[in-house]
Amino acid sequence: MRFGIFLLAGLIAADDASAAGETIVIDPPAEGSVSVAQGLEAWGRIFEVTSHPRCSNCHTGPSDRPMWSGPSYGRTRVHGMNIQAGESRMGIEHLQCSTCHTTKDTDWDNANAKPHSAPRVAMDWALAPPEAHWFGQSSEQICAQLRDPSLNGDRDMLELAEHLDHDLILHWAWTPGGGREPAPYDLQSHVNDLLEWGTAGMPCPQD
Amino acid sequence: MKLTVNGEEYDVDVTPDMPLLWVLRDELGITGPKYGCGIAQCGSCTVHVDGSAVRSCQLAVGDLAGGAVTTIEGLSAPDALHEVQQAWIDHQVAQCGYCQSGQIMQAAALLDLNPSPTDNDIDAAMSGNLCRCGTYPRIRAAVKAAAVKLQEV
């Protein structure tokens, strides 16, 4: 198994019970229990998530322009207000994401339910790093990126799962509110798929 | 609940989920920040929290976490205008004026981080502040003029 993922194998209970986040369980399958074919099936579901607008709209790669999708926009379009996230990916150079996407422990005024309001979570809003390029990318391209430590934040399978646990901005993708379509499946299922894909050796369609 | 606005400490009896804009206007009588849309689409309620521009309609007073709030009333010393305010007058930016408090606070935050903004920098920083009168060319000119003045100080 690549990346020594079983060094940390075992049940890891998510400890972040923030009001804005869902508690998930990271419980990888036993080594050798997942075939490559099953891993590819899991990857297919993972790609449905990563290519979904709730995820890919903030994984815009070399572009620092976030995207908007939803019932109000007809089709996906560039974020209004001339937003440029800059090298900081948080708009520090121009207009900070946090100017509107305020950081809070609870969604105190149910803003995430309003179609045109700026969503908020209990962590700072930001674009994904340029190397995590998903918007408009193929299944093969995203798969190759996600399994390459030089492109995935130097994460192994368990660290990818923990990233999904800790980064509450990702949890929002499944509970976006405001008539926005949530990412497919649910967060726990996505984590399970990731662990299954990882246990199968992170197979990609192009292998 | 205690909060600091324009260098003064206040003790307000409000619920933590009250938007900062409501606290400023309705509890403290600080009416420079304006209510425009209530959903971070217009920028007229912009204030600074620890120097960063924030839409005060989007921030619960309980989420301030000790951050110091500055409104247009506290942007400069009482007897002197901030260079951005002076540039607003010099360039006769305001028409109806409803958005200008938010515009000026956003511009001041930009110049604090970027003393020599390009046109693109200004457009990128200011595009979240809407002006229904369409004074954008004057806004850009005023920001550039204020940048020059601030570097002379």
Side-chain angles (χ1 to χ4, degrees):
Chain A
M1 186 61 62
R2 60 198 299 165
F3 310 145
I5 55 177
F6 288 103
L7 291 175
L8 294 172
L11 187 96
I12 301 173
D15 60 1
D16 191 338
S18 164
E22 175 187 343
T23 299
I24 63 168
V25 174
I26 299 174
D27 185 16
E31 188 174 9
S33 67
V34 183
S35 68
V36 169
Q38 289 170 316
L40 282 171
E41 285 180 22
W43 169 256
R45 293 187 293 274
I46 294 169
F47 176 64
E48 288 182 61
V49 172
T50 56
S51 59
H52 189 275
R54 288 291 81 71
C55 300
S56 65
N57 280 0
C58 288
H59 281 260
T60 53
S63 168
D64 68 348
R65 304 270 184 154
M67 306 296 286
W68 273 350
S69 302
S72 306
Y73 307 115
R75 60 190 175 90
T76 299
R77 52 155 292 182
V78 175
H79 191 302
M81 306 172 192
N82 191 24
I83 295 300
Q84 299 175 39
E87 284 186 25
S88 69
R89 310 300 277 181
M90 303 175 84
I92 305 298
E93 300 87 340
H94 301 114
L95 180 59
Q96 298 178 34
C97 302
S98 61
T99 298
C100 301
H101 296 274
T102 51
T103 303
K104 48 190 52 289
D105 291 333
T106 56
D107 183 22
W108 48 270
D109 64 349
N110 203 24
N112 290 352
K114 299 173 191 167
H116 299 286
S117 196
R120 57 177 68 111
V121 296
M123 68 177 290
D124 293 339
W125 206 259
L127 279 190
E131 59 271 22
H133 187 190
W134 296 354
F135 186 83
Q137 299 296 96
S138 68
S139 174
E140 291 80 0
Q141 289 170 314
I142 296 176
C143 189
Q145 180 265 313
L146 261 183
R147 70 178 177 182
D148 183 345
S150 71
L151 298 175
N152 76 4
D154 197 25
R155 295 181 174 99
D156 62 23
M157 174 188 77
L158 284 174
E159 288 166 335
L160 286 173
E162 287 163 4
H163 168 56
L164 282 160
D165 175 22
H166 292 136
D167 280 11
L168 300 177
I169 194 172
L170 310 180
H171 294 205
W172 172 83
W174 283 273
T175 55
R180 302 174 186 92
E181 184 180 291
Y185 310 109
D186 57 58
L187 176 59
Q188 183 65 62
S189 299
H190 183 57
V191 169
N192 293 344
D193 280 335
L194 188 72
L195 296 170
E196 194 172 332
W197 174 65
T199 302
M202 296 183 166
C204 288
Q206 66 270 34
D207 292 343
Chain B
M1 180 181 302
K2 291 191 189 316
L3 71 159
T4 303
V5 183
N6 298 331
E8 285 190 42
E9 274 208 12
Y10 294 90
D11 200 344
V12 292
D13 183 18
V14 299
T15 56
D17 62 354
M18 181 178 278
L20 176 61
L21 178 62
W22 272 238
V23 177
L24 293 171
R25 291 183 59 84
D26 296 347
E27 300 292 325
L28 304 182
I30 297 172
T31 54
K34 298 290 187 271
Y35 176 85
C37 67
I39 53 172
Q41 291 285 323
C42 77
S44 66
C45 66
T46 303
V47 301
H48 296 174
V49 176
D50 290 336
S52 292
V54 174
R55 311 296 186 231
S56 61
C57 73
Q58 295 296 295
L59 186 67
V61 66
D63 287 330
L64 267 174
V69 179
T70 305
T71 70
I72 187 79
E73 289 89 344
L75 183 61
S76 63
D79 57 349
L81 295 176
H82 188 281
E83 291 296 354
V84 176
Q85 292 171 305
Q86 186 60 54
W88 237 249
I89 295 171
D90 294 344
H91 287 263
Q92 288 293 288
V93 173
Q95 287 191 26
C96 85
Y98 197 79
C99 71
Q100 70 177 335
S101 159
Q103 300 273 8
I104 289 170
M105 296 305 283
Q106 187 68 51
L110 164 67
L111 296 179
D112 197 37
L113 286 172
N114 183 353
S116 303
T118 63
D119 283 355
N120 179 64
D121 292 335
I122 295 170
D123 292 349
M126 301 298 296
S127 291
N129 290 78
L130 304 185
C131 172
R132 292 187 66 179
C133 304
T135 64
Y136 300 111
R138 291 182 185 222
I139 288 172
R140 187 199 280 168
V143 173
K144 294 189 90 156
V148 172
K149 288 281 189 184
L150 282 167
Q151 291 192 72
E152 292 172 355
V153 174

